[in-house]
Amino acid sequence: MKRAYEIAQLRRPPNRLTPKEYDMYGLAGMSWEEKSQFLGEKSSTATTSNNDLRAQALTADKLIAYGILRLHDFPYPTIQAIGHPTRSFPGAVSLRSVEEVTEYLASQAAFPVFMKPIAGNGGAGSVWVDAYADGKLQLRNGETIAVDQYFKRWLSREGIMLQSVARPHPELDARFGPRLATARVVVLVDDSGPLVHRAVLRIPVGKNMIDNFRHGATGNLLGAIDVDTGVLFNVIGRKGSRLEPVPAHPDTGQQIVGCTLPDWQQAVAMCLRAAPLFPGIMYQSWDIAFTDQGPQTIEVNSGGDVDVLQLASGRGIADETWWKLFREPKPQNVVRRWMMRSGPWSDGR
């Protein structure tokens, strides 16, 4: 009965937690204060309500975001080429058709290359390409895909970006293998300036081309980062049907929990300096890679999934710091207004 009551309460704004999320986060053994800090995937507080919808175009389109970062001399993996019927980028080769893409891959591309849609998200369409031969992309995971099959899908939509694959920092290469593990760094912004609120490291495993977690379904790991020190204080992965602690990397055997990310303070400073370049976005999610050339910006998102942050740390993202900045918008509908639970997200303080 208690569980059913709590789930009913947490399904209301601002949490919008589903029963599945209640169980996924293991809320049953927590205090009510701890439970009420968790936000669900459908929580508008964590996605759109505190960001200017017009400003989201600055982050939704990677060429626009990279253009802003380039103007202000922020480091990011080199953009070798842009596959799009009309668009281009300074210093990158413009590829207008599948035929031009094929010719570029056969004669000019510097492999390995990381390809991703210009306006994609969640890793959709992202592939690590080690080589090109006989009309096929040779992917890092051992699979192949026909060039025309890949580019006909994405070239006619938002277009494709071809970037050089950055090399991981030597310390992380030894711990995780020769692939980039990127940190998701959440920056909250108000009139007093930006602050780093939470951070998590997505750690690739096996032959995975990207480090997405997807609740452990990819086989990758997730590590909670202490934002003050850069120390990984908890790492989880999926074992069977459960998410469990993983103290050492399964490929290298190297200890993960307790290690300090190299150049962490430099990465934090970079995020804080870059955040004001995207006005109107109060909740920013930065993806930062720790490379042998120092931290690099992979992308910035308006809002972003809260599940990786909450799963890794075992703590809800909507803590006291969160509610000092954000509010759940007051529903205009009387019934919806009645359904809102009282709390720091309501009009009264």
Side-chain angles (χ1 to χ4, degrees):
M1 181 66 71
K2 179 182 177 182
R3 178 181 179 276
Y5 174 78
E6 289 181 345
I7 289 176
Q9 292 296 305
L10 292 170
R11 292 202 73 164
R12 300 161 75 177
N15 306 85
R16 291 186 171 89
L17 281 165
T18 66
K20 183 178 180 180
E21 289 173 321
Y22 182 95
D23 293 331
M24 178 179 70
Y25 291 126
L27 301 190
M30 298 184 186
S31 68
W32 177 252
E33 180 181 3
E34 292 172 323
K35 293 172 184 176
S36 63
Q37 292 180 359
F38 281 81
L39 299 182
E41 180 184 1
K42 301 299 183 182
S43 172
S44 61
T45 304
T47 53
T48 59
S49 65
N50 289 285
N51 289 335
D52 187 328
L53 293 177
R54 297 168 299 179
Q56 292 189 26
L58 299 176
T59 62
D61 188 298
K62 292 181 177 63
L63 281 190
I64 295 176
Y66 277 127
I68 295 172
L69 294 172
R70 179 180 183 273
L71 180 65
H72 293 271
D73 296 321
F74 282 90
Y76 53 83
T78 300
I79 301 175
Q80 294 189 27
I82 298 297
H84 192 274
T86 59
R87 301 183 70 181
S88 59
F89 192 84
V93 177
S94 297
L95 307 172
R96 303 305 187 195
S97 64
V98 174
E99 291 73 25
E100 290 187 16
V101 169
T102 302
E103 175 61 28
Y104 176 81
L105 292 172
S107 60
Q108 298 183 53
F111 293 100
V113 173
F114 195 80
M115 301 181 183
K116 58 186 179 183
I118 291 173
N121 56 56
S126 297
V127 292
W128 176 322
V129 183
D130 279 330
Y132 165 78
D134 301 323
K136 294 184 178 181
L137 303 174
Q138 313 291 325
L139 306 185
R140 186 194 178 282
N141 61 6
E143 298 178 1
T144 62
I145 182 172
V147 170
D148 57 353
Q149 176 186 343
Y150 178 79
F151 280 92
K152 281 180 179 177
R153 177 181 180 186
W154 297 107
L155 199 65
S156 62
R157 297 173 67 179
E158 57 261 40
I160 284 290
M161 182 184 304
L162 290 76
Q163 290 183 284
S164 299
V165 174
R167 300 180 183 277
H169 188 283
E171 291 183 23
L172 299 186
D173 189 311
R175 289 188 186 274
F176 308 144
R179 298 146 302 184
L180 287 180
T182 62
R184 168 61 59 90
V185 182
V186 170
V187 179
L188 308 182
V189 186
D190 68 359
D191 292 339
S192 62
L195 65 89
V196 172
H197 183 231
R198 296 283 179 88
V200 63
L201 188 69
R202 296 170 299 195
I203 305 169
V205 172
K207 294 183 177 180
N208 286 337
M209 295 184 292
I210 57 178
D211 56 12
N212 282 16
F213 188 64
R214 295 177 187 167
H215 300 165
T218 61
N220 291 330
L221 307 179
L222 206 59
I225 305 171
D226 183 292
V227 297
D228 294 322
T229 64
V231 173
L232 292 174
F233 64 86
N234 188 52
V235 178
I236 61 171
R238 181 170 290 280
K239 292 184 179 180
S241 61
R242 298 173 59 86
L243 294 174
E244 297 183 1
V246 182
H249 196 284
D251 296 340
T252 66
Q254 293 291 312
Q255 185 74 15
I256 305 176
V257 175
C259 77
T260 301
L261 293 174
D263 302 324
W264 174 251
Q265 298 304 329
Q266 185 180 345
V268 168
M270 188 167 64
C271 291
L272 294 177
R273 188 164 62 91
L277 302 178
F278 297 86
I281 304 177
M282 297 177 64
Y283 171 26
Q284 302 180 9
S285 295
W286 287 86
D287 289 345
I288 304 296
F290 299 90
T291 79
D292 58 358
Q293 302 297 313
Q296 293 188 358
T297 53
I298 300 300
E299 62 181 59
V300 56
N301 298 281
S302 172
D305 296 334
V306 298
D307 59 340
V308 292
L309 299 150
Q310 298 180 146
L311 284 170
S313 65
R315 296 181 293 142
I317 195 172
D319 57 12
E320 183 179 355
T321 300
W322 179 275
W323 293 122
K324 285 180 180 178
L325 275 68
F326 294 158
R327 289 291 180 271
E328 178 82 4
K330 182 178 179 180
Q332 299 302 312
N333 183 287
V334 175
V335 175
R336 290 184 179 273
R337 195 178 309 170
W338 174 82
M339 288 178 63
M340 283 187 66
R341 294 190 294 107
S342 61
W345 45 84
S346 64
D347 291 339
R349 295 196 184 187

